[in-house]
Each structure stands twice: as structure tokens, then as C-alpha cells.
Amino acid sequence: MLGTTSGGERRLGRTSATREDLAGWLFLAPVVIILGLFMLLPILMALWVSLTSWNGQGSPFTGKVPFVGADNYTRLFTRDDLARQDFMTSIRNTIYYVLIVVPAQTTLALGLALIVNNRVLKGKTFFRSAFFFPSVTSSVAISVVFLFIFANSGAVNGLLAMFGIGGPEWFSDSRGLLHLLLGGLGLVDPDAPPAALTGGGLFGLSWWDWLSGPSVAMSTIIMLVVWTTSGTFMLMFLAALQDIPVTLEEASLLDGAGRWQRFRYVTLPMLKPTMFLVLTLGLISTWQVFDQVYVMSQGNPAKTTLTPAYLSYRTAFRDFDYGTGTAISFVLFLVIVVLTLVQRWVMRDRTPAIRPGRS
Amino acid sequence: MTTRTRDIPRRPGEGRRLASTFGGYAVLVFFALVFLYPFVIQTANSLKTEPDAAAHPLSPIPGPLSFGAYDRVFFQTDLPLWLGNSLLVTIIITVGRVFLDSMAGYALARLRFRGRRGVFGAIVAVIAVPGVVLFIPKFLVLNQLGMYDSYAALILPIIADAAGVFIMKQFFESIPVSVEEAARIDGAGVFRTFWSVVLPMARPALITLTIISFQSSWNEFPHTLVAVQDPQLFTLPRGLADLVSGSLGVGTQYPLKLGAAVLATIPVAIIFVVFQRYFVRGANEGADKG
């Protein structure tokens, strides 16, 4: 464990090895105990509970608690009941949520960073802070503000009314945006969807249900989250932009590159590691959306804002089905891990369009 | 930074550049409004009467200025209690994290002891565990230890955090080892060296860690959901969430809810304005761990 001494290893003064062993472990002990007790141990305990049908009474670690094996996991995929339907609905909702939030917040963050980074403009510090401020405030407080802003006679509908548009009743509107779009284009009548789509399905939801898109209610949470997270990601892009050597840009200017070409072939390739980071962090956090759902919608209307994180909480603490609740959270964990790995693999195969050679 | 395009052939058209500067400002101002106006709405409407807030939600100026919402928030809800709990919990967690994380970070950066790499690997792994996965598990362990529904449950599980350890380790590795060596040769022990030589040098990193710890523990919500259920132990975000889900009953009471939200926002807002650059640094330190 001591490891062969490489360049990174630095040894201090004259302390003997055993004294440093002792000191090292003493320094680490509080953190190791806290993380072990409240991160590692809980995960192991939860793995056990996910294999039982514990209802919250007494201790889950006695022989009296029924052991059900992998049943809590398999029922989420195979058994035709409400638990599977809720779980699949939450997965559908979150897929649309992630598909919109991640590209939207990444694009907005990059766009804002590019503008703020423009050397000609003054007042950068102010704008940078303005865009970042929502990221540091309380998610609960911000959710309360958005409840007010999107209320039926609230600020957003007031603004829309100025342009002669009648806003929806945001938080009670469960219509899917994709359904509305298909209906608006005249392709499908949302009130009488074709039998081809309602007949078949997957995991207990019909194809028509899968194709709903995010509901109007969910779109308020989408807007809220894009608004709160873009600032943080903007800072990351900004830091990366400031690391791009000026000489590289000058070289591309000499080569006669236009603004778009410079962005496409110089800036963007240099931002690749940051892009990967922002996309990964975005994917990880969007799959976990919880606070906003808890405060703003509790999964309503018509379960269209139900997410796996909220469902897992509700199943355990409101329905007292701790086994299924825990199983949902482990499936969510797995989804996040798999997506991160897939993303890593996809991004690795993309080589930069040009190599930054002339500097 | 100023070695710009001077000697480089520039496209004709100063006018176009002027237009793009103007366009840049227009976009910046538009987005500044989008990002800040909700806070204006929040504050302004907390100072309105209920009919005024319902009729003119967009207006930044209260029709009649009214402190009624704050009056009710302080005297008809448990907000003073939540505020007190939040302060207590936040201060203890912040002090704890700064102290414990920097000790652990120092050990991982500087001390050579058996098992160091294993511990470091475990800490990096812990950073990667998604927080929501731990809701029920944390409840299980608090329940099993008999800590559920106590201040200890609110504080202990999050009094050390892996990301903070990582930030401090990175920082200690970036400062020169020579000063410590001198102190150690003079006979100072490990803790003495850490306390009176290393920590003073680590001021910028400590401030960053203090600020991000304060901000995250002040705003912490889901942990309180699985740690306590006694209203006497509610922190401000928990109480606010409870208030919104309608235990107060009558009417929408938006000025009151927004007033409570303003109070939850103010401490972080003040710290943000004063310590902006540390926040920026914190965001990017967080990025490096990815």
C-alpha cells in the first residue's frame, strides 16, 4: 500500500514511518468514520432492505422481516401492477426531462460564456455574477418563487397576456407537449389517438403514453432547472475559454478563419474536456431531480412530474414499502452509472477536428 | 490579454463590429433580466398586500407598501424556530467540514502512511455516489443507531464531505513543502506543524471551503426529510416546504410564502455579494474533481 516512490511522493523531515502512520490515520479518522457510517454502511443496509418487504416497523435486520429476494427489482419490470406503471411513468417523465434540460442548459451556458468572454464588452463581472446567482440560492425558496411566477394569474401568464396569448394553468395541465405538437400539426388527434399506438406498448405503458413528451406542468420544472444550473456550467466554460492560448486564435485569424470557423475548429475542440464534464454532471444531476418536484408538484398532475427519485421517496416514506422504494433508488443508481459510462465511451471516440499545433 | 488583433489583417467594416458590440450588450442585458427579475418579483411581492400581489404580480413596486407578510411570517408561523435551527445546524456543519476536511486533505496530500491510496480511492468513489440514492439508506442507519429525529441526525451525517476533502488535498499539494520541512526540523510535531504553519498558508482554500459549506448546508433540504420529522427540528428549507404544501390552509398567501423565501435567500445572497470570487473558485474546484 505504501507505493513505490514516484515524483509525487514527498517525505517530510525526520519523522519515523510509524509516527507518520499514526498521525495519518488520526487526521483521517473523523472523515473516515463519518463517511463509513453514513455513506458506506447505509448502502450495504439498503441493499439488504431492497431484498425484503420491510414496512418500517421495528428493525429491518431481524428474522421477522420477510425476505423476498430480487422480487422488488423484477416487479418494476415484469409484474403488471401499479408499482410498475408508476415506475415506468417516472422513467418516461425523466427521459423527456433529461433530453430537454441537458442540451438546453449546456447550450445556454456555452452561449453565455462566449458572450461574457468577449474582450470588447465591459461589465463582465456583473453579468457573470447575475447569471451565476440563481445557482447558489436555495432550491426550495426558488421553487416557491416559480410557483408564484407560473400561477394561473401570475407573472408569466400576465406577460403572455400582453402579447395576446392565453397562458395555460401550468401546474394542473397534464397534457404532453409532444401530444400537443402532433395534434397541432394535424397528424394525430390527441383525444382519439390511433389504435396502432394505444394497442401495443412496453412495460405497461402504451406507445402513445411513451410518446407524450414532457407535460405542461413538467415544462415549468424544466425551465426552473435550466435557469438555476446554467450559471454554474457557464463558469466552467468561462474558465476553459480563458485557458485557450491567445496565440492559437491569432494563428487562426492569420489563416483567414471567419468567426464561425474559428468557433467550430479552434474553440470547440479546445472545450472538449469541459464539454464532457458539463454533459456528465448534467446527466448525473438531472436524473436525480427531487427538490423541485417535492415543493412544486408532488408528482402531479396525473403523475406527469413523477421522477424516480421522488417515487422512491414516496414509496418508502408515504406508502411504507421500503423494499420497493430502495430497489427504485438502486435502479436509478445503475441508470446513472451506465449513462456516464456510455457518455465517456462516446466522447472518447471523437477526435478533435484539428490539432492545436501552432502556438 | 491585450496582444490582440492589431497587426492582423482585419475585415473591413467598423460598423459591423459596433453592431455586434451592441448586439452583445442586448443579449447580456436580456439574460441579466431573465436571471435576476424573479428575485425582484420575489422581494417586491413579499412587500405587497395579498390582493395587490394577485392583481399585479409582475410589478416591481408594491401598490401600498405592506409589511403584513413579514409580520405574519414572524408571529404566526414557526419561522423564528426554523431560522434558529438553520443557523445552529449550518454553523456547526460549516466549522466541522472546514476542520475535518482540511485535516483529512492534509493527511492525504502530505503524510505517508499505510493505506493512504486505498482511503483516497474510497473518497473519490464516495464523491461519485449520487445523493438521491442515499435517501432511504441514510434513514435506515439513523433509525438503527437511534439517532432519528434529533439534532445529531441533522448534523453528523453531513459534517464531513468527500468533495471538501478532495479540494483541500489538491490545495495542499499545490503549496511548497519547504516551510513545513523547516518547522518539522525545528522539532514541531505533525499536528503543530499543520495547525500553526500549514493552515495559515491555506487561507484562500479555507475561505472557499467555508463558503461552499455554508451555502450547501444552509440550503440543504432532502437530508432533513430523512433525518427528522418533528416540527421542532425543522430547518428553514424544510419549514418553507411544509408551509408551501399548505399546512397553513386559508388562501394562497403568496406574500407570506415569498417573504419566507426571501429570508431563506438573504444570508446566501449577502455572502455571495461579499465573497463572489470565492464562489467562482468553488464552482471550478468542484469541476476539477469530475
Side-chain angles (χ1 to χ4, degrees):
Chain A
M1 269 299 185
L2 210 74
T4 48
T5 334
S6 61
E9 305 267 321
R10 276 171 289 191
R11 192 174 183 95
L12 278 176
R14 299 178 297 188
T15 328
S16 70
T18 44
R19 260 188 67 190
E20 214 157 298
D21 266 340
L22 186 68
W25 279 104
L26 279 178
F27 271 56
L28 271 174
V31 167
V32 168
I33 291 171
I34 298 278
L35 295 183
L37 209 53
F38 296 107
M39 296 286 254
L40 193 64
L41 179 67
I43 291 179
L44 298 177
M45 286 166 90
L47 271 175
W48 165 255
V49 168
S50 77
L51 304 175
T52 71
S53 58
W54 185 53
N55 63 1
Q57 299 294 312
S59 164
F61 306 103
T62 59
K64 275 180 263 169
V65 175
F67 182 81
V68 296
D71 196 45
N72 288 328
Y73 292 90
T74 51
R75 68 178 299 194
L76 295 174
F77 298 92
T78 58
R79 198 182 306 165
D80 191 10
D81 63 3
L82 191 64
R84 179 175 80 166
Q85 192 168 3
D86 282 355
F87 176 67
M88 287 303 163
T89 305
S90 78
I91 293 286
R92 176 203 65 186
N93 297 341
T94 312
I95 287 174
Y96 286 115
Y97 171 85
V98 172
L99 278 179
I100 296 177
V101 171
V102 173
Q105 71 191 10
T106 310
T107 314
L108 184 57
L110 178 58
L112 292 176
L114 286 170
I115 301 173
V116 172
N117 194 46
N118 188 330
R119 289 187 205 95
V120 185
L121 300 181
K122 301 256 188 306
K124 264 181 247 196
T125 326
F126 168 76
F127 289 113
R128 191 185 63 182
S129 305
F131 302 153
F132 180 47
F133 182 60
S135 311
V136 303
T137 55
S138 151
S139 57
V140 175
I142 283 303
S143 299
V144 173
V145 176
F146 269 62
L147 273 176
F148 176 70
I149 290 178
F150 281 94
N152 293 343
S153 59
V156 169
N157 280 357
L159 204 60
L160 288 175
M162 284 183 194
F163 298 95
I165 305 166
E169 296 189 359
W170 295 93
F171 297 108
S172 50
D173 197 331
S174 63
R175 290 174 300 166
L177 292 186
L178 200 54
H179 282 176
L180 288 175
L181 183 71
L182 292 172
L185 293 174
L187 293 173
V188 184
D189 176 10
D191 295 323
L197 290 174
T198 51
L202 189 67
F203 294 127
L205 293 192
S206 70
W207 297 119
W208 178 245
D209 284 336
W210 281 109
L211 286 173
S212 68
S215 69
V216 175
M218 182 61 112
S219 67
T220 60
I221 300 181
I222 289 174
M223 286 184 258
L224 165 63
V225 170
V226 170
W227 179 79
T228 40
T229 48
S230 299
T232 312
F233 295 136
M234 173 203 67
L235 286 185
M236 294 179 189
F237 279 125
L238 210 48
L241 282 172
Q242 281 158 1
D243 283 346
I244 296 180
V246 185
T247 44
L248 194 64
E249 281 181 30
E250 283 174 355
S252 67
L253 272 171
L254 272 177
D255 289 346
R259 192 177 270 197
W260 168 251
Q261 283 173 314
R262 233 183 320 151
F263 173 70
R264 173 69 188 79
Y265 296 107
V266 181
T267 314
L268 214 49
M270 294 293 281
L271 289 179
K272 200 186 140 194
T274 312
M275 186 69 87
F276 172 69
L277 180 72
V278 167
L279 289 173
T280 308
L281 292 176
L283 257 188
I284 291 174
S285 63
T286 45
W287 271 93
Q288 301 190 59
V289 57
F290 177 85
D291 298 10
Q292 295 81 0
V293 175
Y294 184 97
V295 177
M296 294 171 81
S297 66
Q298 311 259 317
N300 297 320
K303 296 181 180 171
T304 56
T305 61
L306 207 56
T307 64
Y310 184 74
L311 180 65
S312 132
Y313 167 81
R314 203 190 67 181
T315 309
F317 294 100
R318 301 228 174 127
D319 306 339
F320 303 108
D321 184 352
Y322 287 85
T324 309
T326 319
I328 292 172
S329 63
F330 280 115
V331 173
L332 177 59
F333 192 4
L334 201 67
V335 168
I336 292 172
V337 170
V338 169
L339 284 174
T340 315
L341 292 178
V342 167
Q343 193 169 20
R344 185 161 298 213
W345 180 73
V346 169
M347 294 290 285
R348 196 186 47 192
D349 280 2
R350 293 248 172 92
T351 44
I354 60 155
R355 274 171 212 292
R358 297 170 54 178
S359 55
Chain B
M1 277 289 163
T2 45
T3 58
R4 251 184 69 76
T5 58
R6 199 146 303 151
D7 321 303
I8 292 164
R10 194 191 294 145
R11 289 167 181 223
E14 277 295 313
R16 241 174 65 181
R17 248 185 68 175
L18 213 69
S20 90
T21 307
F22 181 76
Y25 278 123
V27 175
L28 283 177
V29 169
F30 171 77
F31 276 104
L33 271 178
V34 169
F35 280 88
L36 293 182
Y37 203 67
F39 296 105
V40 175
I41 290 183
Q42 174 189 17
T43 315
N45 283 285
S46 75
L47 294 167
K48 293 179 187 173
T49 59
E50 199 157 339
D52 185 25
H56 313 287
L58 262 174
S59 161
I61 302 152
L65 185 65
S66 157
F67 294 96
Y70 288 94
D71 196 47
R72 271 178 296 145
V73 147
F74 274 106
F75 296 106
Q76 289 171 29
T77 73
D78 281 337
L79 186 121
L81 173 76
W82 305 333
L83 212 54
N85 283 341
S86 267
L87 269 178
L88 178 76
V89 168
T90 302
I91 289 171
I92 297 178
I93 291 176
T94 305
V95 172
R97 277 194 189 176
V98 170
F99 188 63
L100 301 179
D101 291 355
S102 48
M103 284 211 327
Y106 180 71
L108 290 171
R110 283 287 203 270
L111 304 177
R112 271 182 31 174
F113 56 92
R114 266 178 290 261
R116 190 186 70 168
R117 298 203 170 173
V119 172
F120 182 60
I123 282 174
V124 171
V126 161
I127 295 176
V129 176
V132 289
V133 173
L134 289 166
F135 286 179
I136 307 171
K138 270 187 184 162
F139 164 76
L140 292 174
V141 90
L142 290 170
N143 195 36
Q144 198 68 21
L145 295 174
M147 281 167 62
Y148 182 69
D149 238 354
S150 67
Y151 281 107
L154 281 175
I155 294 167
L156 277 185
I158 50 178
I159 202 169
D161 74 316
V165 174
F166 189 86
I167 290 176
M168 292 315 290
K169 174 184 181 276
Q170 299 295 91
F171 180 81
F172 289 129
E173 277 171 351
S174 75
I175 56 178
V177 76
S178 50
V179 187
E180 288 157 65
E181 270 167 354
R184 297 283 286 276
I185 288 165
D186 287 347
V190 179
F191 189 78
R192 183 77 213 251
T193 311
F194 170 72
W195 188 252
S196 45
V197 178
V198 179
L199 275 191
M201 286 195 294
R203 239 189 95 206
L206 291 177
I207 297 176
T208 303
L209 187 60
T210 306
I211 283 164
I212 55 181
S213 300
F214 179 90
Q215 181 249 349
S216 71
S217 49
W218 179 265
N219 291 340
E220 178 62 50
F221 172 63
H223 177 69
T224 67
L225 275 182
V226 299
V228 295
Q229 62 177 358
D230 179 0
Q232 290 296 311
L233 295 169
F234 280 7
T235 58
L236 195 44
R238 178 74 186 274
L240 184 55
D242 201 50
L243 195 66
V244 174
S245 54
S247 59
L248 238 81
V250 205
T252 48
Q253 309 231 38
Y254 271 118
L256 176 126
K257 293 172 186 170
L258 292 170
V262 167
L263 294 170
T265 311
I266 283 176
V268 174
I270 292 174
I271 290 182
F272 180 78
V273 171
V274 177
F275 295 100
Q276 252 180 68
R277 63 199 177 97
Y278 292 96
F279 264 109
V280 172
R281 191 192 311 221
N284 286 316
E285 301 271 8
D288 285 342
K289 83 196 181 202

